[in-house]
């Protein structure tokens, strides 16, 4: 809404026209119900119609459409980021709202990494689940859970080598962050139980941390284990 409204104002549209264009953008890209939440105040009355038919910029700034587009750019919608995976993207987004760790499963080359990266960019632009940081970590080639912990530790805290605090202390002070983890297949193959125990501990010790994880297979969860922690989505 903000990007569309400001863009229209800067190219010389009136306040009323800019508002209508921004509301239409919300209606088309998000949901009609969301568009109804916007109201231009003060509202027009029969006694005072057209009170918003004024321009604020445009001629005074001498802005062209292209010049404004370089300054004001609307964040890409979720649908615009990855063609053909819209339903999967929305499914992952919904899972992140309800679960602490969302695992995207599927064979190699099916698009797990693409979905992770596209969704992470979408969330970062909007500050959702990552108001205090978004971190990408690839664990491909990492031989053990201990080595994986050190790599995650360094990603979550850029002062890793300067601090003497423990891993538990770091987790305890983490705020709302999103951790995107890829390349975890070797760990699951070599140390499946230790890997799961490590994820469990990390999620419980950092209550505002969310994890988006890509893997070729599901985590080795027993029935009832982490029912409100984990969600699996298989890409086909």
């Amino acid at each position: 809404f903000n990007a569309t409204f400001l863009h229209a104002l800067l190219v010389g549209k009136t306040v009323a026209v800019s508002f209508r264009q921004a509301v239409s953008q919300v209606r088309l890209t998000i949901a009609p119900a969301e568009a109804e939440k916007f109201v231009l105040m003060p509202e027009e009355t029969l006694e005072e119609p057209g009170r918003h038919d004024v321009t604020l910029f445009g001629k005074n700034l001498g802005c062209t459409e292209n010049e404004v587009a370089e300054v004001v750019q609307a964040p890409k919608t979720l649908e615009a980021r990855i063609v053909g995976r819209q339903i999967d993207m929305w499914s992952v987004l919904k899972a992140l709202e309800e679960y602490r760790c969302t695992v995207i499963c599927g064979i190699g080359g099916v698009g797990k990494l693409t979905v992770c990266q596209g969704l992470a960019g979408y969330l970062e632009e909007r500050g959702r689940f990552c108001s205090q940081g978004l971190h990408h970590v690839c664990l491909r080639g990492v031989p053990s859970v201990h080595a994986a912990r050190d790599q995650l530790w360094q990603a979550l805290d850029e002062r890793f080598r300067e601090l003497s605090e423990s891993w538990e202390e770091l987790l305890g002070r983490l705020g709302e962050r999103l951790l995107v983890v890829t390349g975890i297949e070797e760990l699951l193959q070599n140390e499946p139980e230790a890997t799961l125990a490590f994820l469990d501990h990390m999620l419980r010790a950092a209550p505002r941390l969310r994890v988006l994880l890509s893997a070729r297979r599901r985590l080795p969860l027993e029935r009832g284990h982490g029912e409100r922690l984990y969600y699996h989505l298989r890409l086909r």
Side-chain angles (χ1 to χ4, degrees), residues 13-72:
K13 305 290 185 183
T14 67
V15 173
V17 170
S18 301
F19 178 79
R20 288 197 293 271
Q21 289 183 356
V23 170
S24 296
Q25 182 72 5
V26 172
R27 182 177 293 109
L28 291 172
T29 60
I30 302 180
E34 291 297 315
E36 299 304 319
K37 297 179 181 180
F38 294 89
V39 178
L40 184 58
M41 300 295 290
E43 296 184 87
E44 296 183 350
T45 63
L46 292 176
E47 294 76 19
E48 295 183 89
R51 62 171 65 186
H52 299 299
D53 292 333
V54 293
T55 58
L56 302 181
F57 305 108
K59 291 182 179 179
N60 292 334
L61 291 179
C63 295
T64 66
E65 291 276 355
N66 290 336
E67 289 170 339
V68 172
E70 294 178 359
V71 178
V72 182

Side-chain angles (χ1 to χ4, degrees), residues 100 168 171-173 200-207:
R100 300 287 310 289
E168 285 70 23
L171 293 176
R173 67 177 178 82
D200 278 354
H201 174 72
M202 184 169 64
L203 292 170
R204 298 183 191 280

Side-chain angles (χ1 to χ4, degrees), residues 145-146 149-150 152-153 156-157 160 163-175 197-207 209:
V145 169
H146 180 77
R149 186 204 64 178
D150 286 347
L152 290 170
W153 194 342
L156 290 168
D157 195 327
F160 168 71
L163 295 177
S164 58
E165 67 178 356
S166 67
W167 171 245
E168 285 70 23
E169 289 172 330
L170 171 64
L171 293 176
R173 67 177 178 82
L174 286 180
F198 173 72
L199 287 172
D200 278 354
H201 174 72
M202 184 169 64
L203 292 170
R204 298 183 191 280
L209 174 69

